[in-house]
Amino acid sequence: MTLSHENELVVVSGASSGMGAATAHELAKRGYHVLAGVRRQEDADTIRGANLEPVILDITIPENIEALVERITNDPERRRLRALVNNAGIAVNAPVEALPLDQWRRQFDVNLFGHVALMQAMLPFLHESRGRIVNISSVGGKVAMGTYGAYSGAKFALEAVSDALRRELAPHNVQVVVIEPGGVKTEMTGHGIDRAQIFVEEMTPIQRKRYGALMQAIINQATAFTKTGVPASDAALVIANATTTRNPRTRYTIGRDAAVLTRLSRILPDRVLDRLIAANLRPYWKITDTE
């Protein structure tokens, strides 16, 4: 017998495209009423569908979160919030020395503080339903490559917050799950590549001399991973399963690269891992040298 989920809500932030949109569609297909967080009205018009209700949600804007709370509180069908999928995010890649502080703050505002704000707002509902929080982290939340200081810093912090929250909520029967994707074909990766190229152009001549080749190698590597990465629809299946299965694991990886790197990070000494990461990047330096 198929269970009905028509009386259950799921909030998915960052649902305009990529993994967020695919996850929202997958959960809606499974019968949940999905409140799909988007930042623009044109994205809302695109994603709207059966069991899919777009809501304007920039997680860095308190008024958007307050409006979401009001929407759930006054749900016309008196549906319960079953889960929150924290998927919204941006990618900012540049060397620690060269990345302006306002960009560091923007990265943490979106990839950490916005998620915390949304979790705090949704937890009263999740306590009532004994629901679940699913935080979309990254393999970058376990391994920080060069130029990923800000992005990985926010993801490492999200992993720590998730661990603390899981232990705090366990006695109250609210579950916390972390998803760690590797290379996935998403628009966010493409936007991150575009931003990285802009940062190269904005570096001082000395910074460009120090880091320009590294940045280009990272851009080349990210571009290659985007072409060969896991489709967003496949990633959505992992996220949807983690959101709905009765007894979820505390962590899931997406993609072979994420599975391998997260395991290696636990067993290899730092210097050995440094050499492995450098070796994996080396072919993309060669591309840079011949262009």
Side-chain angles (χ1 to χ4, degrees), residues 126-140:
L126 295 171
H127 278 293
E128 288 183 6
S129 67
R130 295 187 174 184
R132 186 172 304 171
I133 293 171
V134 179
N135 286 332
I136 310 302
S137 180
S138 167
V139 65

Side-chain angles (χ1 to χ4, degrees), residues 87-221:
N87 174 73
I90 58 173
V92 177
N93 294 97
V96 172
E97 181 180 357
L99 185 64
L101 276 178
D102 64 333
Q103 293 298 325
W104 279 88
R105 294 188 177 101
R106 175 63 177 164
Q107 180 77 92
F108 274 75
D109 279 344
V110 177
N111 285 14
L112 179 63
F113 300 132
H115 294 316
V116 172
L118 191 54
M119 287 188 285
Q120 289 179 337
M122 295 297 104
L123 270 168
F125 302 110
L126 295 171
H127 278 293
E128 288 183 6
S129 67
R130 295 187 174 184
R132 186 172 304 171
I133 293 171
V134 179
N135 286 332
I136 310 302
S137 180
S138 167
V139 65
K142 292 295 187 183
V143 180
M145 297 191 298
T147 78
Y148 282 79
Y151 179 79
S152 286
K155 292 297 187 181
F156 267 70
L158 182 61
E159 296 261 356
V161 169
S162 299
D163 283 344
L165 189 63
R166 185 182 69 252
R167 290 156 186 157
E168 292 164 2
L169 295 178
H172 307 287
N173 297 305
V174 177
Q175 297 169 314
V176 179
V177 178
V178 174
I179 309 291
E180 296 164 343
V184 178
K185 298 176 183 177
T186 67
E187 290 185 14
M188 188 191 78
T189 305
H191 294 326
I193 292 170
D194 293 339
R195 290 191 192 97
Q197 193 63 62
I198 292 172
F199 284 132
V200 172
E201 296 168 2
E202 293 179 346
M203 285 180 185
T204 67
I206 292 176
Q207 289 172 343
R208 197 175 298 115
K209 183 177 180 181
R210 288 173 180 160
Y211 304 116
L214 170 63
M215 284 289 291
Q216 192 58 56
I218 290 290
I219 290 169
N220 291 338
Q221 185 184 56

Side-chain angles (χ1 to χ4, degrees), residues 18-130:
M19 288 191 301
T23 299
H25 281 288
E26 179 61 29
L27 289 167
K29 186 171 69 175
R30 298 185 186 195
Y32 296 90
H33 188 84
V34 179
L35 300 178
V38 299
R39 295 176 63 234
R40 301 175 300 181
Q41 187 57 51
E42 52 264 42
D43 295 325
D45 296 337
T46 299
I47 200 170
R48 192 186 312 274
N51 292 332
L52 261 175
E53 178 185 340
V55 293
I56 299 300
L57 181 61
D58 182 328
I59 62 174
T60 66
I61 298 178
E63 292 78 9
N64 284 182
I65 295 178
E66 291 166 6
L68 177 61
V69 169
E70 184 175 354
R71 164 64 187 82
I72 297 171
T73 301
N74 299 313
D75 184 77
E77 304 297 329
R78 297 186 177 181
R79 288 169 290 209
R80 299 188 306 167
L81 180 64
R82 170 53 53 190
L84 164 64
V85 180
N86 264 321
N87 174 73
I90 58 173
V92 177
N93 294 97
V96 172
E97 181 180 357
L99 185 64
L101 276 178
D102 64 333
Q103 293 298 325
W104 279 88
R105 294 188 177 101
R106 175 63 177 164
Q107 180 77 92
F108 274 75
D109 279 344
V110 177
N111 285 14
L112 179 63
F113 300 132
H115 294 316
V116 172
L118 191 54
M119 287 188 285
Q120 289 179 337
M122 295 297 104
L123 270 168
F125 302 110
L126 295 171
H127 278 293
E128 288 183 6
S129 67
R130 295 187 174 184

Side-chain angles (χ1 to χ4, degrees), residues 1-8 29-32 244 246:
M1 181 177 67
T2 301
L3 294 176
S4 173
H5 302 291
E6 62 183 11
N7 291 321
E8 295 181 307
K29 186 171 69 175
R30 298 185 186 195
Y32 296 90
T244 61
R246 183 183 296 272

Side-chain angles (χ1 to χ4, degrees), residues 214-265:
L214 170 63
M215 284 289 291
Q216 192 58 56
I218 290 290
I219 290 169
N220 291 338
Q221 185 184 56
T223 301
F225 280 6
T226 301
K227 292 177 181 177
T228 61
V230 174
S233 57
D234 290 355
L237 291 175
V238 177
I239 299 169
N241 288 339
T243 304
T244 61
T245 191
R246 183 183 296 272
N247 296 305
R249 304 199 303 265
T250 58
R251 279 176 170 78
Y252 294 79
T253 57
I254 297 177
R256 183 176 179 274
D257 56 333
V260 171
L261 271 176
T262 54
R263 290 192 185 107
L264 290 178
S265 69

